[in-house]
Every structure is written in structure tokens, then in C-alpha cells.
Amino acid sequence: MNNLRNLNWSIFGAWIVLAIIGLVAIYSATQGPVSEFLPDYIQNNFAKQLLWVGLAIVFVLCFQFFTPRSYMQLSYLFYAIGIILMLCTFLFGTEINGAKSWLRIGFFNLQSSEIMKIATILATAQYLTSRRDITAENIRYALIAVAMILVPTIFVILQNDFGTAIVFLALIPVMLFWSGLPYGVSIYIVSPAFILYLTVFDWKLGAIATILISFLIFMVQKRVWLTVTSLITGIITVVGVNLALTDILQPHQIARITAFTNPAFDPTGAGWNVIQAKTAIGSGGLLGKGFMEGTQTQLKFLPEQWTDFISCVIGEEFGFMGLGLLVVTFLFLFLRLLKQAGNHKHPFAQLVTVSVTAVFFIHFVVNIGSATALLPVIGIPLPFVSYGGSAFLTNSLMLAICLNMDLYKRDFSIYR
């Protein structure tokens, strides 16, 4: 059994730093002067999060006494259990903030989609690493892997949790690319999201992006059918977005999209969240207003300031330096995980570590992007920082698996 002294303590330390930053921000967002505006169950969030952090530390250390082969052997069983939990949530779940994502178990609310992230990564990684011959002409294995990711994604969409659905969908290009999918096909898979984003601002930008991406795919892959498919997909995306904005979406949905591109369009309605978030971050200056001294935070102008907009609390009360520390710590964690993936000789360990890093990165980009008006407000928490027991524990367990595979990498390299 490997000694815990060989654990990658730099990654463990980054995780602890992020957890401490989160606890400080949650305390300010729920225990400061703002507490008089909050119900009791919100004021209890800090104590509950502290409990989850302590529990997660125990779990992360205990996970280091397993062997990586266990995750490979049990991956499909975990996946099946996860699907059952998702089905139970869909049938008997509790709705919170408009999303039916929670399964009540005694005094505990379990967010099954969080557990499903681990199960999906492990099962899909096990499937892909046992079939390493994915090409542009033979993508049958890739399609099966896509189906394995789409099944939980559909459940998440039915739960009305579109933020988490985006995270699942983001796994598709990452896992397929790392498994050997050709560059051109990988670019094609991610292109609709990029074209959609630009089309929201101006259809001409979407059209230009369609042409440039199709040309890039042809230069990289040299496949006419793939280039034509990319061009057609881009055109459909541009036309579809324009039709949705003019004829399909409801007025309140259009208002939210318009508020993303121009928050001042509806400052007291759809644009309120973005305006308050930018105001909080901007008012923090270099060093911030001080712990529990942020006016946007303590006067409850920030929405969901202990979860989705917790980075704004940090930016307002600790300024550019505090928010900079948060970003640098995340970047350090991402780079260390990617370096760890590169040091693995076993493809399963590589794919799992890269996929876990991708999940953290998507959460990070969407959360910070929403708070700074670079992306629409979707409602995705910041890993290890935002309040949430299921999310914190699940993210910690994903990190524990990566640490475990690194701890056993010399032995794991012979497992086939």
C-alpha cells in the first residue's frame, strides 16, 4: 500500500485553499449584516458547508486506500446505479429553484446528477479506452460513447437543469478527442456552440464563423463530406437562432437573451443579475471593501450570492487581489491535473483525469463568465467554492480519484 506521503500534496493543497476561500465567502454572504434579510435555513449554509468540507477531507483520504483497478471494474455498475438514481429523481424528486434535481433521502437531499458525473466519466472512459481505433471513417465506438453521455444528459434536461446538462455535453468533445477522434471531427462537434454564441450578438458574425470553421475543418481533415456537413450545420444554427429570437421563444426568454448582450435593456428585470454582479466586482477595486463590508453583498442586491454569484462576493470584499487569488488557484489546479494526466501511462487514468479537469474547467468558465457578463446567466456553481453539499462532495470525490490514480501510477500502468 502506498504511503500517503507520496500523495500529490500540491493538488490537495489547492483544493483546501479553494474550500477555505469558499467558506470565507459563504460566511460573509450568510452571516454578515445581510443575515437579517435571510431566512434561517440560508443562515445555516455556512455550518452545513463546514460539515461537508470536513466530511470530504475524510473521504478524499480514505479513497487513497483503494486501487485504480476498482474504478475500472465497477465503472459500469456505478453507471447503472447512477441511471437508477436519475430515474428515481425524475419520478420522486424534490423541486428546488425550478429544477427537479434533488432526491430526498431521510434528512439529506441528494443531487443525483452530481453523482452521475462521476459514473459517466468512469464508464465512458472504461468503454473508450478498451476500444482505441476511433477514426473519421469508423466512428461507431464514438457514437456509442456519445450515447452513454446523452442518456444522463436527457434526464438532466427533463429535470429542468440546463446548466448541468451543458457540463455533460461538454464531456463529449473532450473525451472523444482524447480517445483519438480526428481533429477535424472534434472541431466540428464544438463548432455549433461557438457559432450559436456569436449569432446571438449578430447573425453576420455567426455566418462568418461558419465559413471560417468549415474552411479550417477542410484544411485539417481533407474530407469533403465533413466540410459540407460543417457548413450545413453552421447555416442551420444561424438560421435557427434567428428564428428562435423572432418567432419561437417567449417574450421573457428573448428578454433574458437581450439582457445578456445589453443588460441596460431591462435593468430592473432580466438585466438585474448581471448589473448587480458587475457592480459588485467593479466596486471592489484593488483590495476590496473588506470582509463583510461589501454593500452589494450585505444589502442583498446580489442574487444567490452564496452559490452562483459567490465570485462577486469575493471580488467586492477582497478586490482584484482576492479574485485574482481565486483564479490563479484554479489555474494552478487545472495545470497540475493536466500534467498529472500526461504522466500517466494507462489510457484510462489519462482520460478520467482529463475529463474531471474538463468538468471543473467548464464550471469555472461558465460561473465566472456569467458573473462578468461574458456568458448568459445559466446557474452553475463554482467548484469547491459555492455552497452545496452534493456538489462539493462529488467534486471532491472526482479529485480523490485523480489523486488515487496518481498515487498508484507506477502499479496502474501495468493494468490492462
Side-chain angles (χ1 to χ4, degrees), residues 273-289:
N273 292 353
V274 175
I275 291 174
Q276 298 306 319
K278 292 173 67 176
T279 300
I281 294 176
S283 64
L286 180 63
L287 300 176
K289 296 179 178 178

Side-chain angles (χ1 to χ4, degrees), residues 299-322:
L299 295 178
K300 193 57 179 66
F301 285 107
L302 280 174
E304 301 296 330
Q305 57 192 30
W306 47 88
T307 54
D308 300 341
F309 289 92
I310 197 166
S311 61
C312 302
V313 176
I314 299 168
E316 182 181 30
E317 299 193 345
F318 299 97
F320 177 80
M321 298 301 293

Side-chain angles (χ1 to χ4, degrees), residues 149-400:
I149 298 174
L150 287 180
V151 170
T153 304
I154 292 172
F155 275 108
V156 171
I157 292 174
L158 292 176
Q159 293 172 0
N160 200 31
D161 187 357
F162 294 101
T164 302
I166 290 174
V167 177
F168 275 97
L169 291 174
L171 285 173
I172 294 176
V174 172
M175 300 191 78
L176 294 185
F177 174 75
W178 200 264
S179 299
L181 194 69
Y183 293 152
V185 181
S186 300
I187 295 172
Y188 167 69
I189 291 176
V190 300
S191 63
F194 182 66
I195 294 170
L196 185 150
Y197 178 81
L198 293 177
T199 305
V200 168
F201 289 94
D202 191 331
W203 71 268
K204 298 184 184 69
L205 293 176
I208 293 172
T210 297
I211 296 172
L212 292 178
I213 290 174
S214 299
F215 178 75
L216 176 62
I217 289 175
F218 179 77
M219 295 299 296
V220 171
Q221 202 64 49
K222 297 294 191 296
R223 295 290 188 275
V224 175
W225 67 268
L226 185 60
T227 304
V228 173
T229 302
S230 173
L231 188 62
I232 293 174
T233 302
I235 293 173
I236 292 174
T237 302
V238 173
V239 174
V241 170
N242 278 278
L243 285 176
L245 291 175
T246 56
D247 300 322
I248 299 176
L249 295 178
Q250 298 297 318
H252 70 278
Q253 294 172 320
I254 296 175
R256 293 184 67 177
I257 296 174
T258 304
F260 157 59
T261 58
N262 179 22
F265 167 78
D266 187 11
T268 60
W272 173 264
N273 292 353
V274 175
I275 291 174
Q276 298 306 319
K278 292 173 67 176
T279 300
I281 294 176
S283 64
L286 180 63
L287 300 176
K289 296 179 178 178
F291 181 53
M292 294 197 297
E293 297 293 335
T295 53
Q296 302 298 116
T297 299
Q298 301 305 329
L299 295 178
K300 193 57 179 66
F301 285 107
L302 280 174
E304 301 296 330
Q305 57 192 30
W306 47 88
T307 54
D308 300 341
F309 289 92
I310 197 166
S311 61
C312 302
V313 176
I314 299 168
E316 182 181 30
E317 299 193 345
F318 299 97
F320 177 80
M321 298 301 293
L323 203 54
L325 174 63
L326 176 72
V327 172
V328 168
T329 305
F330 267 113
L331 293 180
F332 175 81
L333 177 64
F334 300 149
L335 291 175
R336 293 298 295 177
L337 285 171
L338 290 176
K339 181 180 179 181
Q340 179 178 297
N343 290 335
H344 281 301
K345 295 181 180 179
H346 199 290
F348 178 80
Q350 289 184 356
L351 188 53
V352 169
T353 303
V354 168
S355 300
V356 168
T357 306
V359 169
F360 294 159
F361 182 74
I362 292 299
H363 274 266
F364 169 77
V365 169
V366 174
N367 183 277
I368 300 296
S370 298
T372 54
L374 295 175
L375 292 172
V377 177
I378 298 173
I380 289 184
L382 195 58
F384 311 120
V385 179
S386 295
Y387 168 77
S390 294
F392 188 91
L393 185 58
T394 301
N395 290 330
S396 299
L397 292 183
M398 285 194 286
L399 193 66

